[in-house]
């Protein structure tokens, strides 16, 4: 019988999950999202919405009472509350996994304990421990908030002794960790999935280019050697082997100068660097996530055509209503998220540029360069 799906969070990821669910109506009859913003992106494509904070206990219980399965599009849900409603709805990925992943220190400790490579790190509970750690790691090093950090907002790169106090004060009383700086060659990621029966599949390695700590562009496949791609794929599936629960996970990694791979962080959800799969692959990461949590056989993760995903971000220096963006180009698939207001660097949409037969990643990159001007948000006067 078709199930009712609950999603904590109804932003663009919830929107694209809802769209995937609509194509699987024999398995999912309805989607209800919990999101604090009225008319959130998912609600615009047919999800029902409970308007409430992601961590609001009563609303999570209310959601659990109405659905068969709960999943999430953000990692900041309250894992203890989710654990307490496990008797009302199936929850995937599991609240235990969410709890481990939500805290970067617990996440990295977990990976390290399973012999999965991560940068060197330590927990720091006062400024003296930060100073001690810096003696060991040298400069630069990263002071990181352990929780509730995203798009680089929870990191402070300490370049010299003079910055220690500023960095420490920046986080005002939050739980922290210190991490050795990795002078990486490239940032890459693997979208990995595991279904409730334990089947594991990974998509090919992709390359991620960030601006202002926000993902700007994903190049699929990554411009690395086969050896590096294989190594990353192996690390991703080893990670899936040890993580409990089902779903799609975004595994962000660094390629070091000597072509080693270390994991930067894991997102227990569909991931921005997997948006290319909407056009580049037979099974999108959104369908894959639903297949995983429903216990269906996972779909093909083969890359059919090289594809570049480019994020449409709100222009810096302006907040307000903006004109709809339109770009016409063969093989370009624009997806806007229905957000009314643009804010600096807000994720408003993305497009996928798919290679035509014989077209190389380099040719796609050149094309993207000529299209960038068209994706600036323009104020409605
Ligand atoms: P995070 O929010 O931890 O994913 O970090 C955001 C960005 O900061 C990453 O995409 C990297 O560009 C950079 N970063 C994080 N950790 C490190 C590290 N240990 N060494 C070098 N760069 C890092």
């Amino acid at each position: 019988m078709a199930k009712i799906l609950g999603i904590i969070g109804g932003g663009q990821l919830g929107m694209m999950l809802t769209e995937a669910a609509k194509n699987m109506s024999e398995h999912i009859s309805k989607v209800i999202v919990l999101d604090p913003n009225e008319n959130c992106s998912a609600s615009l494509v047919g999800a029902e919405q409970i308007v409430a904070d992601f961590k609001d206990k009563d609303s999570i219980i209310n959601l659990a009472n109405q659905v068969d399965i709960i999943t999430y599009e953000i990692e900041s849900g309250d894992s203890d509350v989710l654990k307490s409603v496990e008797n009302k709805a199936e929850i995937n990925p599991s609240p235990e996994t969410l709890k481990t992943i939500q805290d970067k220190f617990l996440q990295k400790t977990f990976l390290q304990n399973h012999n999965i490579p991560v940068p060197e790190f330590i927990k720091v509970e006062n400024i003296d421990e930060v100073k001690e750690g810096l003696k060991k790691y040298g400069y630069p090093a990263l002071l990181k908030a352990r929780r509730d950090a995203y798009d680089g907002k929870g990191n402070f790169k300490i370049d010299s002794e003079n910055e220690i106090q500023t960095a420490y004060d920046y986080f005002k009383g939050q739980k922290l960790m210190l991490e050795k700086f990795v002078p990486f060659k490239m940032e890459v990621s693997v979208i990995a999935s595991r279904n409730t029966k334990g089947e594991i599949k990974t998509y090919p390695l992709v390359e991620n280019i960030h601006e202002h700590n926000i993902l700007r562009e994903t190049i699929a496949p990554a411009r690395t050697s086969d050896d590096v791609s294989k190594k990353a794929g192996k690390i991703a599936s080893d990670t899936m082997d040890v993580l409990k629960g089902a779903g799609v996970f975004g595994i962000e990694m660094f390629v070091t100068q000597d072509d080693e791979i270390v994991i930067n962080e894991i997102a227990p959800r569909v991931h921005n660097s997997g948006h290319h799969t909407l056009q580049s692959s037979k099974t999108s990461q959104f369908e894959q996530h639903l297949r995983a949590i429903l216990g269906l056989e996972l779909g093909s993760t083969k890359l059919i055509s090289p594809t570049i995903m480019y994020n449409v971000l709100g222009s810096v220096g302006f907040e307000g209503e903006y004109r709809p963006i339109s770009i016409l180009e063969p093989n370009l698939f624009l997806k806007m998220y229905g957000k009314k207001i643009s804010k600096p660097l807000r994720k408003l949409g993305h497009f996928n540029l798919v290679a035509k037969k014989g077209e190389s990643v380099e040719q796609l990159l050149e094309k993207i360069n000529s299209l960038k001007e068209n994706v600036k948000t323009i104020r409605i006067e």
Side-chain angles (χ1 to χ4, degrees):
M1 218 185 57
K3 296 188 166 156
I4 303 179
L5 172 70
I7 310 176
I8 312 277
Q12 61 267 22
L13 302 178
M15 175 188 215
M16 291 182 272
L17 284 169
T18 303
E19 287 170 329
K22 284 210 278 196
N23 289 329
M24 297 169 75
S25 53
E26 74 277 31
H27 300 289
I28 299 174
S29 57
K30 184 158 87 167
V31 178
I32 308 178
V33 299
L34 187 154
D35 193 286
N37 303 306
E38 259 178 77
N39 303 317
C40 67
S41 299
S43 76
L44 304 178
V45 295
E48 279 182 21
Q49 183 179 0
I50 297 173
V51 181
D53 189 84
F54 307 122
K55 294 185 187 176
D56 184 74
K57 189 171 176 178
D58 291 342
S59 302
I60 294 176
I61 294 171
N62 177 10
L63 179 69
N65 282 330
Q66 294 187 54
V67 304
D68 301 298
I69 313 184
I70 291 185
T71 190
Y72 17 91
E73 61 130 44
I74 46 141
E75 49 269 58
S76 62
D78 188 322
S79 58
D80 292 332
V81 176
L82 284 167
K83 177 105 199 106
S84 75
V85 297
E86 266 183 321
N87 56 343
K88 299 181 196 291
E90 196 179 325
I91 302 176
N92 264 313
S94 73
E96 286 94 350
T97 298
L98 179 65
K99 198 175 178 118
T100 308
I101 288 182
Q102 272 175 338
D103 181 324
K104 285 187 182 178
F105 174 73
L106 294 184
Q107 183 190 131
K108 288 209 160 99
T109 305
F110 174 86
L111 293 172
Q112 200 172 48
N113 289 343
H114 287 94
N115 295 319
I116 293 169
V118 288
E120 283 184 58
F121 66 98
I122 45 162
K123 176 165 75 175
V124 284
E125 291 184 327
N126 55 53
I127 196 158
D128 290 333
E129 289 183 0
V130 178
K131 288 178 185 162
E132 272 310 301
L134 284 164
K135 273 190 205 147
K136 199 161 123 207
Y137 298 153
Y139 296 94
L142 283 113
L143 192 59
K144 295 189 169 186
R146 286 172 53 174
R147 289 187 61 111
D148 294 333
Y150 61 96
D151 290 341
K153 288 192 179 70
N155 292 350
F156 197 115
K157 183 159 153 265
I158 305 178
D159 284 310
S160 70
E161 203 178 331
N162 304 335
E163 291 177 5
I164 300 176
Q165 189 69 49
T166 318
Y168 193 73
D169 292 345
Y170 173 77
F171 291 110
K172 276 189 262 136
Q174 293 181 59
K175 282 188 166 181
L176 301 175
M177 61 185 275
L178 185 75
E179 194 170 287
K180 192 168 176 175
F181 183 79
V182 180
F184 54 77
K185 237 193 219 177
M186 192 187 278
E187 293 196 69
V188 292
S189 58
V190 172
I191 302 297
S193 51
R194 182 176 189 276
N195 74 7
T196 51
K197 300 187 173 122
E199 187 194 4
I200 292 170
K201 275 198 180 171
T202 57
Y203 286 88
L205 189 70
V206 299
E207 177 179 344
N208 296 318
I209 295 166
H210 293 88
E211 274 173 25
H212 310 285
N213 274 320
I214 290 181
L215 183 66
R216 179 92 244 190
E217 227 170 303
T218 294
I219 303 170
R223 293 170 294 173
T224 52
S225 65
D226 281 355
D227 194 38
V228 166
S229 304
K230 274 194 198 128
K231 221 185 281 180
K234 165 91 172 60
I235 288 173
S237 46
D238 287 351
T239 305
M240 297 312 289
D241 265 337
V242 296
L243 279 179
K244 274 204 224 148
V248 157
F249 293 75
I251 307 181
E252 297 177 26
M253 306 165 175
F254 299 137
V255 182
T256 67
Q257 295 298 328
D258 43 9
D259 279 346
E260 292 305 324
I261 300 279
V262 290
I263 291 191
N264 172 34
E265 66 176 346
I266 302 176
R269 54 169 171 78
V270 285
H271 193 256
N272 196 167
S273 71
H275 291 359
H276 68 90
T277 59
L278 281 168
Q279 272 81 34
S280 70
S281 315
K282 187 160 168 276
T283 317
S284 76
Q285 64 163 344
F286 305 100
E287 177 184 338
Q288 192 78 311
H289 181 68
L290 299 177
R291 300 187 75 81
I293 63 175
L294 289 163
L296 301 174
E297 197 183 322
L298 297 174
S300 164
T301 51
K302 193 167 167 274
L303 191 74
I304 297 167
S305 309
T307 296
I308 295 184
M309 188 284 312
Y310 191 78
N311 268 342
V312 179
L313 303 177
S315 301
V316 175
F318 127 70
E319 179 165 339
E321 288 193 36
Y322 60 100
R323 279 207 201 112
I325 288 155
S326 74
I327 334 168
L328 282 178
E329 174 75 28
N331 279 19
L332 185 147
F333 300 84
L334 176 68
K335 172 89 195 154
M336 295 302 290
Y337 307 145
K339 298 179 186 177
K340 274 215 141 128
I341 302 293
S342 175
K343 293 180 189 168
L345 304 176
R346 185 177 197 197
K347 288 176 181 168
L348 300 171
H350 74 264
F351 65 77
N352 285 333
L353 187 62
V354 182
K356 291 187 204 135
K357 212 168 180 357
E359 208 172 17
S360 67
V361 159
E362 272 64 33
Q363 285 168 307
L364 287 183
L365 281 167
E366 263 174 43
K367 247 190 214 168
I368 293 257
N369 273 336
S370 66
L371 294 169
K372 281 179 181 170
E373 267 309 296
N374 298 343
V375 297
K376 296 232 162 80
T377 50
I378 301 168
R379 184 189 296 275
I380 296 177
E381 298 298 344

